[in-house]
Amino acid sequence: MSATSFVASPSSAPAESALSAWRGWPNGAFALIGPSGAGKTHLAHIWADAAGARAVSPGDSLPGQGVALYEDADRNLDDELAFSLINNAMNGGMEAVLFTARTRPVTWPSRLPDLDSRLRALSFVEIEAPGEAELAQILSKLLRDRHVRPRQRLIDYLLRRMERSPGGARDLVERLDRAAAARGERINMALARDYFSDGEKADAE
């Protein structure tokens, strides 16, 4: 997941700003919160590449120093590891640790009272899933980047059929662009209808 493939949007701006300022996180620990499809995994991986972070998961040994990324903390929380990571960051043993999750840290299923207190104090930023108008703007920009001036009916048609996320919009436009290149034309309403009609036929077979 590269920075160039990330589709920035107003809903992702606060998270992007917070991650870019990671050296100033309170106590060196931070959480990126958001629903599935909002782009948090993509953003976290971009941050990890830029910061040189090591990915850690339940059962891993504690990194002695450097930067760490712990994903999906609300679903696979290793109490001892999470507690040690936060403490290590607080005490300066590590530069920073980033957690990702769908829910706020206070809701994570911890069984350690000491970790509970750390999670209640953990700073975080939430990335929200974009709404209909924002997704329409993202689609329009992606199409214009490919020299397509989409009419509103094309945008509406695609919105009803795509995965409703910035990444879903990017992936769909890339697939339509390849289909258009194979036909020697630009993305238009007829091509979109053919594309989805072919997909529906394939699913039925």
Side-chain angles (χ1 to χ4, degrees), residues 146-162:
R146 288 164 173 76
H147 309 291
V148 176
R149 298 179 63 182
R151 295 183 177 182
Q152 188 60 44
R153 64 177 186 144
L154 175 59
I155 296 298
D156 292 342
Y157 181 83
L158 297 179
L159 279 173
R160 292 194 297 270
R161 291 161 174 81
M162 60 175 270

Side-chain angles (χ1 to χ4, degrees), residues 97-131:
V97 55
L98 175 67
F99 296 89
T100 69
R102 297 167 301 171
T103 59
R104 295 183 177 188
V106 70
T107 70
W108 299 352
S110 165
R111 296 183 299 275
L112 294 177
D114 287 342
L115 177 57
D116 285 338
S117 64
R118 297 289 192 275
L119 295 180
R120 285 195 295 271
L122 186 63
S123 298
F124 63 89
V125 65
E126 294 189 68
I127 178 171
E128 298 180 355

